[in-house]
Amino acid sequence: MEAAMVHGWSDRLDELLTRIGEHFSRRDLRGRAWGYVRGLLGGVERKNGWQLAEHAGHATPDGLQRLLGPAKWDADAVRDEVQRYAAEHLLAHGPRSPGGGGGVLIVDETGFLKKGTKSCGVQRQYSGTAGRIENCQVGVFLALSGPGGRCLIDRELYLPKAWCEDTARRREAHVPDEMAFATKPQLARRMLRRALDAPGGGLEPEWVLGDEVYSDYETRRFLESRGRAYVLAVSAGQRLWVGFEQQKVSRIADDLEEDRWWSWSVGEGAKGPRVYRWAAARFGVPTDTGMSRWLLIRRPLDRDEAGDRAYYLCAAHPGASPQDLATAAGKRWAIETCFQTAKQETGLDEYEVRTWHGWHRHVTLSMLALAFLAAVRAEAEPPNCGKKGSLTWCR
């Protein structure tokens, strides 16, 4: 990354940092923020306070700690700049589809393993990062993936009920008084609303994607009311009306004849094309905004591996094909790539802050660095093409 900056990307980074400068109250504070972001993008082995301070030429990390703590600057305004910057660079490298702006929005969460009980929102809870219950914080994120690449554009720290009801812990972690308990789907809808209603013109994603946590009734109806197509994973126990009875989607899949399934690749994987067998059917009545509701089912090529099936409830614009739904479902992996890149390259999980504002400030600056990295790659790399079905598609 540093080598790329030496060869001309440093000027691009200066432009981005200047763009967000108005959201910092003083020149010295802007300088600390610039140094912090450059450290996140640099070859620092551990992106903690001391090493980032040394990279920026500071004798101690005190200035950077103030940046993440009591200093006056608007992290939410910087987050909004990240969203606009990402849209400008990641949606500008390819054709736009009739259904939206050529990109997809993806909701997911990631865990931040922690020791002790002081970090805001920490408790023993399930962490997808660890694959088990751990002492951790959980952040819910929104990613934008477009023809030019992908990055994180919004974030919310999940605050468990136990934290919301503990006045002393809230005060010690500087949780704002107005912050009440919100479920993860509620946090997701909050971020989606911000993206769709952003001042100056919100995003118009072709699809909104998410896993089972974010496929609740309220989220689906919210997206339908906004005319936004979605492909949201559901559990095998999800029920739909079939005739005059409700059936689990797993039973519906069990009863499908083999000629109802078709093969389709959702892109290149580490071992070649990711080819699955798919089945799709419309159900119910169209939404008030004219979209069709679909059930989409995915299984391995070997029918006997029924335990590996995946199920999706979808809403799609007229003219969308089952293959379009399958291709959209295959794009959800992009947010996992964002988490991996942000943790490996822009220090997303290497913070040393415990407060509400500290978490949001560090994570926002890490997202800014990730968006810059995505923009650099979008300009430096040609479109990534791979075979999907019988046609050649581009990223």
Side-chain angles (χ1 to χ4, degrees), residues 4 20 82 113 158 160 208 212 218 227 302 307:
I20 67 169
V82 170
L113 303 183
Y158 174 67
V208 176
E212 296 176 18
E218 288 79 7
D302 185 350

Side-chain angles (χ1 to χ4, degrees), residues 78-97:
V78 175
R79 172 207 62 204
D80 294 343
E81 290 287 358
V82 170
Q83 178 181 301
R84 286 189 285 268
Y85 180 81
E88 291 168 10
H89 289 81
L90 305 186
L91 300 181
H93 287 73
R96 297 199 171 197
S97 113

